Structure formats: structure tokens, C-alpha cells
Amino acid sequence: MTLEEYRPTAKHWLEKDAISKNMPDRFPLLQEMRLANEVVWINPDKCPMAEISAGDCELSMADINDAEARLQRFAPFIMHCFPETKKQGGLIESALTDIPEMKNRMAEKYGCRLQGRLLLKQDSKLAIAGSVKARGGIYEVLKHTEELALAEGLLKEGDNYAKLAEPEYREFFGRHKIQVGSTGNLGMSIGIMGAAIGYQVIVHMSADAKQWKKDLLRSHGVTVMEYESDYGEAVENGRKQSDKDPMSYFVDDENSRNLFLGYAVAAKRLVGQLKEKRISVDAGHPLFVYIPCGVGGVPGGITFGLKQVFGDDVHCFFAEPVQAPCMLLGMGTGLHHDISVQDIGLSGSTEADGLAVGRPSGFVGKMMEPLLDGEFTIQDEKMHGFLRELEETENIFLEPSACAAFQGALKIENAPETLEYLDRNKLIDRMAAASHIVWATGGSLVPEEVREEYHVRRF
Ligand SMILES: *Cc1c(COP(=O)(O)O)cnc(C)c1O
């Protein structure tokens, strides 16, 4: 059954609240997901890049190039406001590091049969926001800033953007508001950058957001609105508040093309980093990338970029908590934003605050239909295991959300579903020459006391 044929049926189950009784053949994992068991999903709708016509997709490489150029224009301003970015010329970029000791530990402890090179993309250490949100969130604030300033005649082409830090500009931006709904990290990236430019920033935080993230934002002069409900409601309220105010701009995590493109730029930067490490990516040297997924913007944007750059030689997988596998549910049923994890009886709550999202982005899910290779879900307890093991073996600290991606590296050569995928794609013989990137999405701003808690806590 194709996705197009399946979608109305899935919708029917949902309306009839009969998902549990009518096991859909096309998506048999649903039952396991309801039980909060870990699952491995291979996307049946993935297409070779050659079969995807440019017209099918609203975004292209040109949009990524445009975003990259915009970040470059802002580099002098970023260096000025955040001197820690000077050594990278005002670009916010993270290291790609081999983690051989972690690979050994995964082999010993979990029987992980991963053959190739295991690397960590340390977005956890990105400047300014300490998470992958420093890519999309900051990009979106800058894009909005450029638009406002150009429209007002405060900037013109060829200007040195460092001048935006001067008082007259700050005063102008101070009359404008930016609002965003967030589980924590997006709010931090928008809040810190927004405050640096001079905006009034209001962050609408869901119940899952950690206290230290709220405290840190308030210390930057950001207004934090707290909600007792989940992320979806924080977003809706934020949107309503913002829409009422003509001076307010709402960053829409679920639908923002800007956020998405900000994340996608990571792919272009990775090309040089792989070269430096003498890692080839071609048919004989496949690249596997595992990225934690919440609403979908982060892993979707990065995957979109990687597929543009490396084509069919890159294999992208998302990882989600067993209680909040919203993207997998949306893509598997084809219902995307029209289904939530609560609809199948899951709580949506997880220690991985960055991934505590019940309803996926429909925009991202649809973009991923022909691109994404698959998904893994992971129990919270296991994320904490990876968190401790990475610290013990490599002395690198990540927040729990970021550790979800290790599930991909663990399973790729161990699970029957992925072994079948590798076989079908004629990759089995190439796995010794493969590289695997675990995308570490956050952690460096986590305060010491909170880290301690993660160390001692057993589940
Ligand atoms: C936001 C976030 C993600 C996932 O990003 P989405 O755009 O919500 O899918 C993953 N890890 C961390 C640490 C995050 O903050």
C-alpha cells in the first residue's frame, strides 16, 4: 500500500479511535509503539535522489547557500557581541571528533557490532546557545533582523553588519518583540541572540523545560512565560500573543523555513570537516548520520542539507524517546501533524526535554517522506546509560536528548530491520569502510549541579 492510499485509512482509524483494534498492515510498528517498546523503522517511501524532481520540493540548495551567505554577512556582528566566536571568524560551528573509546564500550557493553569509524558532531558545544538550536534559532533571529533593518533603511548591501551593535540600532530593535514557544533550547538560542540585538524577547516554555534554562534566560533579560501543559500549548499561546501585537514576530518551530535552513547549513560545513579527517563519502564509503528528533526541524533541516550535499551516499536516521515518537508516528501513518503520541496512548513526557514533543511538524514530515532512511526509538534509561558511558570513555558531557542518537549507531549493524536495509542497499560489504556520525545536539550549558544529578540518578 502506498502512503497516498494509506493516509485516508489511517485517518479513519484515528477518527474512530480504533487504532488499537485495527492493526494497520502498512505500519505494524504501531502496536509496539503503543507499548512504549523500542522500535526500528525503515522508511518505505524513501526514494533515490535521482527520482526526486526539484519541483517536488519547495526548498533547494540555493536556499541553503543563501542562508550560509547571510550567516557570513552577520559574522562581524556575531564576533563583536560574542568574542568567543572570534577564533572561528564569527561563524558558529562545532567540532567533529572520533570517539573510539565509546565505540569499544558499546561493543563490550551492548554487543554493538558497528564496524566503521564512529564520530561525534559536537553541536553540544556550539557557541552562544550550547545546543544545535544555535544554528536555526540564531539564523532566524538574524534573518528577521536583516529584513527589518533593510526595510527601515538602516542597512544596505555591502555594509559591515557590526554596526548593528551601536545604540541607535539597539533602540530601533528594542521597539520590536520576538516570541517563541520552546521546550528549552530553542528559547535559549532565540532569547540570547534576540537580547544581544536588543529585542524584547518572550519565550513561552512548556512544562518539560528545565528550571535552569528558564533562570538563564531571565538573566539575559528575557521574559519567560511558563505553562503547565505540553509544548503544543506553549506554542499556541505564544502564537496568539504574538499575533495580537503588530510589533511582534513569532518564531514558529513547527513551520519555520528559516529555522530549517539554518540547520541545513551544517551539511555544507561538514564537507570540509570530513575532508580534514580524510573521510571520503561515496558509494564505497557510506556515511551514516543519527540525529535526535523533537518536532523535526533540527534533524529534518540537517538531513535535507546532507542529502543535497552527499546524495544517496548519506544515510540519515532520526532517534526519538519511546514516550514521544511523534515524527515516527506522523511519518509511519502519513498523518504527520494530524496525529499525536497521546492519540495512541503515550504520555509524551521524557527526561529528554528537547525531544518532549507530542505532535510533529507537518512541514518537516512531508519534506522527509522521500528523504529519510529510518528511525529508532529509545528508552530514557538507555539515554542515561549512553550519557554516563560517553563521559566515562571520552570525557564528553551531553544532555539526555543528545544521547538518543547513539541508539542508531548501536542498532545499525545489530537490528534485523537495519541489516535488511543494508542488504537491500548493497551496503553490507561496505560497512567496514563506513563512517557514522552521532549528532550531539546539546549539553555544554547544563550547570554542574544538574550534571551531578544525571550521574547519580538510576532509573
Ligand atoms: C531541539 C532539540 C532537538 C530536536 O530538535 P527538533 O527541531 O525539535 O526536532 C534535539 N536535541 C536537542 C538537545 C534539542 O534541543
Side-chain angles (χ1 to χ4, degrees), residues 131-133 183-186 213 231 253 263 292-300 353-355 357 399 401-402 441-443:
S131 83
V132 65
K133 300 297 190 323
T183 59
N185 286 341
L186 182 62
K213 294 185 179 177
Y231 169 77
D253 195 9
Y263 299 128
C293 179
V295 75
V298 163
D353 53 332
L355 315 182
V357 178
E399 61 185 274
S401 298
T441 45

Side-chain angles (χ1 to χ4, degrees), residues 64-81:
I64 303 177
N65 292 338
D66 177 59
E68 190 188 29
R70 185 165 291 105
L71 288 167
Q72 191 68 56
R73 289 199 287 282
F74 272 98
F77 171 78
I78 292 176
M79 262 192 288
H80 177 87
C81 297

Side-chain angles (χ1 to χ4, degrees), residues 68 93-96 117 119 121 265-281 287 306 309-310 437:
E68 190 188 29
E93 197 42 74
S94 75
L96 177 68
R117 209 160 152 179
L119 301 119
K121 180 63 179 151
V265 170
K268 290 198 72 181
R269 308 238 181 104
L270 195 65
V271 175
Q273 292 190 315
L274 288 167
K275 275 211 188 93
E276 260 169 44
K277 294 201 151 291
R278 300 182 188 284
I279 295 174
S280 318
V281 181
L287 176 66
L306 289 171
V309 172
F310 298 110
I437 297 180

Side-chain angles (χ1 to χ4, degrees), residues 24-35:
D25 325 327
R26 192 180 184 277
F27 191 44
L29 289 184
L30 201 55
Q31 196 57 13
E32 288 297 308
M33 289 168 69
R34 292 174 66 92
L35 299 169

Side-chain angles (χ1 to χ4, degrees), residues 40 103 106 110-118 286 288 290 317 376 406-423 427-436:
V40 177
K103 186 183 164 198
M106 286 167 70
Y110 305 100
C112 177
R113 287 196 288 263
L114 193 74
Q115 298 179 62
R117 209 160 152 179
L118 181 63
F288 290 79
Y290 312 101
F317 293 86
F376 302 91
F406 279 103
Q407 181 80 337
L410 175 57
K411 295 278 182 186
I412 192 80
E413 292 189 69
N414 280 54
E417 297 87 343
T418 40
L419 286 170
E420 204 268 327
Y421 165 89
L422 296 177
D423 188 37
L427 290 163
I428 298 276
D429 295 339
R430 299 169 183 169
M431 293 309 281
S435 299
H436 301 265

